[in-house]
Amino acid sequence: MTDTYAVFGNPIAHSKSPRIHAEFARQTGQDMRYAALLAPLEGFTETVLAFRAGGGRGANVTVPFKEAAWALCGRRSARAELAGAVNTLKFDGEEIYGDNTDGAGLVRDLTANLDVPLAGRRILLMGAGGAARGVVGPLLEQGPRALFIVNRTADKAMTLAAAFAGQGVVAGGGYDAVRGAYDVVINATAASLAGELPPLPEQVFAPGALAYDMMYGRDTPFLAFALAQGARAADGLGMLVEQAAEAFFLWRGVRPLTAPVIALLRAA
Ligand code: NDP
């Protein structure tokens, strides 16, 4: 019998995940189907449980349900526990297991695809929402010299940094607290969605710095600003494919090749 998986979100029609997982399945010869399913804003849990009752084996979860997915799980990976958000569910009998593969996806895109080592580097992470929460732990595991989390609402950045104190050199604050130049500047805010640029100082990029926008599929003011300051620029398409590959590995025990899938999506 063909195993079924899905991604739940609201909205969801734009999702590239079905295409990505179909490519992974074809490449690795896995017998599975993967659909994009809309969950009502007030009915996420019921929708997921109905999918499981119908034979679903696992699911991805996207905006705005990652916290609700966390709450639904009976068991979670350490990285999901720390992130307070779950983007991957695995159904094992009665148990719902939750993982968060966003951070691993970002780190893999940065280090393997973009060839940017993070150990000993200065990293600036913009945003303190769900996406930022998921990546702080995996970024710190790489041993950066310092990680500064900056957010429009400064308190949220400070609280997030405090939650990871002891796991590395990490601090948080508002944009007026951004000092010095960074080797890697990551935009995990929703500002690009609104065509806005967070108020970064012009000298924020160190020589050879990488600017990374988690947003993908369009030119963003942040990447335009970075290019104008002489930085390298990358969007979040690679992260999207890499987090999907982590989820695929959790479900199927096989690691798909990501480079051909990233190339395919770029060409489309
Ligand atoms: P949330 O709504 O949880 O958080 C939004 C964050 O953006 C908050 O920190 C908010 O600050 C900040 N923000 C919003 N507007 C502005 C602005 N105009 N200027 C400065 N800061 C702003 O969203 P998520 O964390 O879930 O998602 C953030 C982005 O990451 C989205 O664009 C999403 O598409 C992308 N993403 C990409 C992934 C990928 O695989 N490539 C995976 C996950 C997310 P405040 O707290 O002050 O409101």
Side-chain angles (χ1 to χ4, degrees), residues 63 66 102 127-132 151-153 156 175 188-191 193 196 198 214-216 236 239-240 243:
V63 179
K66 290 184 187 179
D102 281 338
N151 195 44
R152 190 172 57 177
T153 312
K156 277 171 66 182
Y175 284 91
T189 74
L193 272 176
E196 289 168 7
M214 286 195 191
M215 176 99 200
Y216 51 83
M239 173 179 173
L240 178 78
Q243 63 77 29

Side-chain angles (χ1 to χ4, degrees), residues 16-17 20 62 66 87 101-110 113-114 131 135 185-189 192 210-220 222-223 232-245 258 261-263 265-266:
K16 295 187 191 304
S17 293
I20 294 170
T62 186
K66 290 184 187 179
N87 78 334
T101 65
D102 281 338
L106 171 66
V107 165
R108 207 172 152 74
D109 196 34
L110 289 170
N113 300 338
L114 298 166
V135 304
V185 181
I186 300 164
N187 186 8
T189 74
S192 296
L210 175 78
Y212 191 97
D213 202 324
M214 286 195 191
M215 176 99 200
Y216 51 83
R218 65 168 93 158
D219 295 332
T220 71
F222 168 61
L223 292 185
R232 272 174 78 191
D235 72 4
L237 188 70
M239 173 179 173
L240 178 78
V241 175
E242 295 294 347
Q243 63 77 29
T258 49
V261 181
I262 295 172
L265 292 182
R266 287 236 182 270

Side-chain angles (χ1 to χ4, degrees), residues 107-201:
V107 165
R108 207 172 152 74
D109 196 34
L110 289 170
T111 57
N113 300 338
L114 298 166
D115 209 13
V116 175
L118 300 174
R121 300 297 180 93
R122 281 170 52 88
I123 304 175
L124 180 67
L125 176 65
M126 294 190 280
R133 284 197 78 85
V135 304
V136 173
L139 286 173
L140 287 174
E141 273 172 19
Q142 297 294 306
R145 175 139 64 100
L147 172 64
F148 191 74
I149 305 168
V150 59
N151 195 44
R152 190 172 57 177
T153 312
D155 282 3
K156 277 171 66 182
M158 288 187 243
T159 306
L160 182 55
F164 287 87
Q167 293 187 42
V169 184
V170 55
Y175 284 91
D176 55 355
V178 175
R179 304 265 183 280
Y182 290 83
D183 303 300
V184 181
V185 181
I186 300 164
N187 186 8
T189 74
S192 296
L193 272 176
E196 289 168 7
L197 175 69
L200 285 171

Side-chain angles (χ1 to χ4, degrees), residues 22-66:
E23 282 301 321
F24 288 167
R26 194 187 51 74
Q27 194 195 97
T28 59
Q30 295 287 306
D31 185 14
M32 60 182 274
R33 268 203 313 268
Y34 186 109
L37 299 178
L38 183 76
L41 289 175
E42 299 304 323
F44 169 73
T45 300
E46 295 75 4
T47 310
V48 171
L49 293 180
F51 175 71
R52 185 180 67 157
R57 299 292 306 274
N60 285 130
V61 180
T62 186
V63 179
F65 299 124
K66 290 184 187 179

